[in-house]
């Protein structure tokens, strides 16, 4: 028996299956009309026949009531034993089916994820969660600044889990996606029930950027109920956020009850990648586009972009586009050139790219940006933060700027001092102890003013980057 692996074959075969089911009265025609009308066959690979249903309800019905007669019909038509895979539209995007347009989420795999010192612990645990048949770390909470690979890694978990355990119900949601679905579900009683049923019956629920859900307490209540139900039935929950669970409490409607539960599993931080990891990522991204970048360009990009891998990707695209437009590059393919001449061209090209990259400081987290945002927040001027001035507001703003430069950019005390009107490192060290002492004192008194200011400014900075 031979089954070509494509949808062109799957679709007509599905027609035949439906005809056979009706002809042989395996399923009555009313049922075929109501349950199979919008079902599509999307692939036939090996001995797995995959159909997609419009809703998760029709998926459950077909799985429960009709899968054995569909398999019987397939057996009659193709003379073999088949596994029927029934999925719904929302799962389709995570399945990697060749006939449908590949979503970017499918490209986020472990294979494409470069492991280095900054992310190896998070990656190892992510991998373990994807591979294990047990639920060991629940919830798994990944936090870190924007552009460090959180979304990539959790999608890799979903994709790998799906591959290893195709029968599991896995759902990846962005916070916006989940919120929209929730709001829509409020329109009728039936859709409310369907929404609850869908999320509470999952085997794995992945929610990206949970910090964005703090705006409405009713949304958070629904999230918390779902969380508790899944948690109590030992189903895997994975969240990401730009701050650790305990810090969510400083944002809008999150409550202590929620944040302490979110942090009771395994919480890990994604760190900024070191230079070797950044270079490896750059090479990987170029090779995924079928290109090899000269080492000098790889180094240049890696040195310039230290914090956000999304920026690195943008730059690679720019460089590659630049190269495609470069006429010397096109000529190169037309005729064999002297190696020497080629080298000169390459050097010129690198110089052009270098200029281009060094000129584009948009989207890069710089000390200037941090100072700018802090100044805006405390309603003082940037100049005053950098220079003298010891009013209470200025000292506080300056201390927060120092703290953020260390926290977000891992700058040394000497480097920070240079940014702030050449202050020496002991002054910077005083600022840092001052922030630490205030945070400690506030938390002992059950307050969080400074913490909240810091988180707020961080959010604003991260949001600028994430756009
Ligand atoms: P976050 O969710 O933390 O903001 P993303 O997961 O969206 O970050 O990552 C931004 C981009 O950087 C993505 O295109 C992702 O593929 C890439 N990226 C981040 N970390 C890595 C890594 N370690 N290896 C390969 N690509 C990475
Ligand atoms: Mg993300």
């Amino acid at each position: 028996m031979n089954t070509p692996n494509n949808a062109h074959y799957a679709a007509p075969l599905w027609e035949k299956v439906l005809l056979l089911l009706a002809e042989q009265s395996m399923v009555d025609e009313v049922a075929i009309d109501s349950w199979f009308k919008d079902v599509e066959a999307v692939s036939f690979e090996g001995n797995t026949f995959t159909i997609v249903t419009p809703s998760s309800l029709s998926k459950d019905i077909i799985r429960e009531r009709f899968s054995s007669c569909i398999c019987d019909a397939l057996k009659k038509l193709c003379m073999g034993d088949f596994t029927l895979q029934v999925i719904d539209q929302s799962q389709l995007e995570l399945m990697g089916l060749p006939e449908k347009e590949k979503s970017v989420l499918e490209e986020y795999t472990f294979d494409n994820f470069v492991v280095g010192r900054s992310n190896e612990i998070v990656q190892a645990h992510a991998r373990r969660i994807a591979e294990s048949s047990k639920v060991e770390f629940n919830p798994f909470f990944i936090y870190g600044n924007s552009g460090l690979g959180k979304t990539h890694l959790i999608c890799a978990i979903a994709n790998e889990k799906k591959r290893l355990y195709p029968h599991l119900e896995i759902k990846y949601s962005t916070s916006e996606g989940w919120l929209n679905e929730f709001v829509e579900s409020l329109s009728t009683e039936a859709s409310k029930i369907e929404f609850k049923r869908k999320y509470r019956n999952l085997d794995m629920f992945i929610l990206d950027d949970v910090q964005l859900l703090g705006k409405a307490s009713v949304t958070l209540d629904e999230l918390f109920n779902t969380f508790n139900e899944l948690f109590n039935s030992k189903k895997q929950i994975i969240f990401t956020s730009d701050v650790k669970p305990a810090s969510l409490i400083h944002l809008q409607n999150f409550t202590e009850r929620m944040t302490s539960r979110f942090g009771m599993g395994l919480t890990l931080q994604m760190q900024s990648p070191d230079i070797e990891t950044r270079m490896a990522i750059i090479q990987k991204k170029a090779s995924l586009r079928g290109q090899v970048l000269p080492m000098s360009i790889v180094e240049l990009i890696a040195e310039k972009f230290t914090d956000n891998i999304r920026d690195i990707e943008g730059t690679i695209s720019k460089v590659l586009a630049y190269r495609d437009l470069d006429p010397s590059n096109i000529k190169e393919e037309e005729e064999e050139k002297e190696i020497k001449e080629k080298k000169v061209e390459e050097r010129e090209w690198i110089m052009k790219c270098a200029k281009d990259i060094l000129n584009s400081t948009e989207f890069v987290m710089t000390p200037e940006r941090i100072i700018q945002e802090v100044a805006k927040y405390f309603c003082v001027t940037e100049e005053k933060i950098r220079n003298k001035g010891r009013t209470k507001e200025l000292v506080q703003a300056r201390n927060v700027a120092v703290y953020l430069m260390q926290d977000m950019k891992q700058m040394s005390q000497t480097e920070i001092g240079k940014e702030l009107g050449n202050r020496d490192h002991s002054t910077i060290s005083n600022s840092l102890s001052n922030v630490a002492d205030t945070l400690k004192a506030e938390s002992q008194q059950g307050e969080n003013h400074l913490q909240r200011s810091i988180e707020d400014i961080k959010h604003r900075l991260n949001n600028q980057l994430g756009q």
Side-chain angles (χ1 to χ4, degrees):
M1 188 211 52
N2 191 12
T3 57
N5 301 336
N6 61 51
H8 307 298
Y9 189 78
L13 180 59
W14 179 236
E15 299 277 5
K16 285 190 193 147
V17 168
L18 289 179
L19 274 176
L20 194 68
L21 291 178
E23 272 172 16
Q24 307 206 340
S25 305
M26 289 154 101
V27 177
D28 75 52
E29 283 193 30
V30 180
I32 290 187
D33 262 341
S34 48
W35 296 116
F36 295 106
K37 201 159 53 85
D38 294 314
V39 172
E40 269 182 71
V42 286
S43 87
F44 199 2
E45 268 192 84
N47 61 352
T48 303
F49 189 73
T50 305
I51 57 176
V52 184
T53 65
S55 70
S56 66
L57 177 68
S58 53
K59 174 185 66 186
D60 292 348
I61 302 274
I62 291 175
R63 272 188 187 167
E64 274 162 35
R65 294 203 213 149
F66 304 116
S67 50
S68 69
C69 53
I70 295 171
C71 285
D72 286 345
L74 283 169
K75 195 170 181 174
K76 282 192 181 134
L77 291 164
C78 299
M79 318 285 281
D81 271 324
F82 296 94
T83 311
L84 179 70
Q85 181 162 248
V86 189
I87 59 173
D88 61 28
Q89 283 294 341
S90 64
Q91 290 171 305
L92 187 62
E93 65 172 16
L94 288 176
M95 294 276 313
L97 292 170
E99 291 73 22
K100 293 276 161 177
E101 199 182 309
K102 279 203 168 203
S103 105
V104 64
L105 301 180
E106 285 161 28
E107 284 159 21
Y108 288 161
T109 59
F110 284 112
D111 282 349
N112 290 343
F113 190 84
V114 175
V115 184
R117 241 180 314 157
S118 57
N119 59 28
E120 63 190 352
I121 296 176
V122 195
Q123 190 271 357
H125 284 91
R127 195 147 206 149
R128 179 147 165 186
I129 287 170
E131 287 170 359
S132 173
S133 58
K134 293 182 290 220
V135 173
E136 293 169 86
F137 311 104
N138 212 16
F140 182 41
F141 196 107
I142 307 178
Y143 71 98
N145 289 338
S146 182
L148 297 184
K150 300 184 295 297
T151 298
H152 187 137
L153 206 50
I154 56 175
C155 288
I157 299 179
N159 291 327
E160 184 66 2
K161 193 86 185 176
K162 196 81 232 169
R163 196 179 69 77
L164 295 171
Y165 306 93
H167 60 284
L168 291 185
E169 292 287 333
I170 296 167
K171 175 83 182 150
Y172 163 88
S173 294
T174 61
S175 284
E176 290 99 333
W178 186 84
L179 176 69
N180 289 342
E181 223 183 298
F182 172 58
V183 172
E184 267 172 37
S185 81
L186 298 176
S187 57
T188 68
E189 277 311 308
S191 54
K192 266 190 220 168
I193 293 168
E194 170 61 14
F195 180 85
K196 283 197 189 356
R197 201 194 59 80
K198 175 172 166 188
Y199 281 94
R200 294 177 192 188
N201 283 330
L202 292 173
D203 295 299
M204 180 182 267
F205 176 38
I206 305 175
L207 187 66
D208 206 358
D209 289 322
V210 65
Q211 81 277 359
L212 299 176
L213 287 178
K215 293 205 179 75
S217 58
V218 50
T219 326
L220 279 179
D221 288 343
E222 176 59 29
L223 177 68
F224 196 47
N225 290 337
T226 307
F227 179 98
N228 287 332
E229 289 234 359
L230 290 173
F231 185 85
N232 292 339
S233 19
K234 302 203 165 37
K235 302 300 176 147
Q236 181 74 57
I237 303 160
I238 302 176
F239 282 178
T240 72
S241 155
D242 61 356
V243 291
K244 56 177 175 268
S247 297
L248 285 172
I249 191 115
H250 306 301
L251 301 172
Q252 295 143 336
N253 291 296
F254 286 97
T255 64
E256 165 76 37
R257 219 160 49 106
M258 292 172 190
T259 58
S260 66
R261 294 213 83 188
F262 293 170
M264 67 195 263
L266 177 68
T267 299
L268 294 175
Q269 182 179 14
M270 205 73 129
Q271 312 268 2
S272 299
D274 53 41
I275 180 106
E276 288 82 21
T277 314
R278 298 202 298 277
M279 285 172 61
I281 292 173
I282 294 163
Q283 285 163 321
K284 182 101 205 175
K285 294 287 173 187
S287 81
L288 286 172
R289 292 169 163 91
Q291 306 269 356
V292 180
L293 284 173
M295 212 48 198
S296 47
I297 287 284
V298 172
E299 278 170 8
L300 194 69
I301 303 176
E303 273 161 21
K304 174 75 183 161
F305 295 95
T306 52
D307 298 310
N308 186 323
I309 295 154
R310 204 172 285 121
D311 297 342
I312 292 183
E313 285 208 273
T315 309
I316 297 169
S317 305
K318 240 196 222 166
V319 170
L320 294 176
Y322 205 116
R323 183 157 72 171
D324 286 344
L325 290 174
D326 187 344
S328 61
N329 194 45
I330 300 165
K331 263 192 259 142
E332 208 173 81
E333 285 185 359
E334 280 171 8
E335 60 199 77
E336 272 291 314
K337 290 208 166 173
E338 298 266 321
I339 294 177
K340 217 167 130 196
E341 210 178 316
K342 267 191 189 170
K343 280 210 164 134
V344 172
E345 272 183 13
E346 184 169 270
R347 212 171 39 227
E348 279 172 6
W349 172 64
I350 288 169
M351 287 312 291
K352 270 194 273 180
C353 287
K355 252 166 84 189
D356 206 33
I357 292 163
L358 293 173
N359 284 337
S360 73
T361 46
E362 39 171 4
F363 304 135
V364 184
M365 178 78 80
T366 57
E368 291 78 39
R369 266 179 192 252
I370 294 177
I371 296 173
Q372 205 177 30
E373 205 53 48
V374 170
K376 249 196 270 170
Y377 187 88
F378 289 103
C379 301
V380 295
T381 65
E382 287 170 50
E383 201 203 327
K384 282 191 175 155
I385 294 188
R386 284 180 202 278
N387 298 322
K388 299 217 175 75
R390 299 214 43 92
T391 62
K392 198 168 159 236
E393 283 76 26
L394 270 179
V395 171
Q396 190 181 32
R398 197 175 293 129
N399 288 349
V400 169
V402 168
Y403 176 88
L404 288 173
M405 281 189 250
Q406 195 209 40
D407 184 61
M408 299 183 87
K409 284 202 62 77
Q410 286 86 40
M411 287 166 67
S412 72
Q413 298 183 357
T414 314
E415 283 167 336
I416 298 174
K418 276 200 194 124
E419 290 297 329
L420 294 170
N422 277 327
R423 286 177 159 77
D424 71 20
H425 70 90
S426 62
T427 317
I428 302 303
S429 163
N430 283 343
S431 289
L432 288 170
S433 337
N434 189 296
V435 172
D437 292 347
T438 313
L439 289 175
K440 200 167 153 202
E442 279 190 354
S443 94
Q444 280 166 355
Q445 290 157 16
E447 288 173 357
N448 59 22
H449 306 296
L450 184 60
Q451 180 76 38
R452 185 180 283 238
S453 305
I454 290 174
E455 299 300 348
D456 262 0
I457 299 169
K458 243 175 134 168
H459 267 278
R460 292 176 194 197
L461 285 162
N462 279 331
N463 283 344
Q464 286 172 10
L465 283 179
Q467 300 314 309

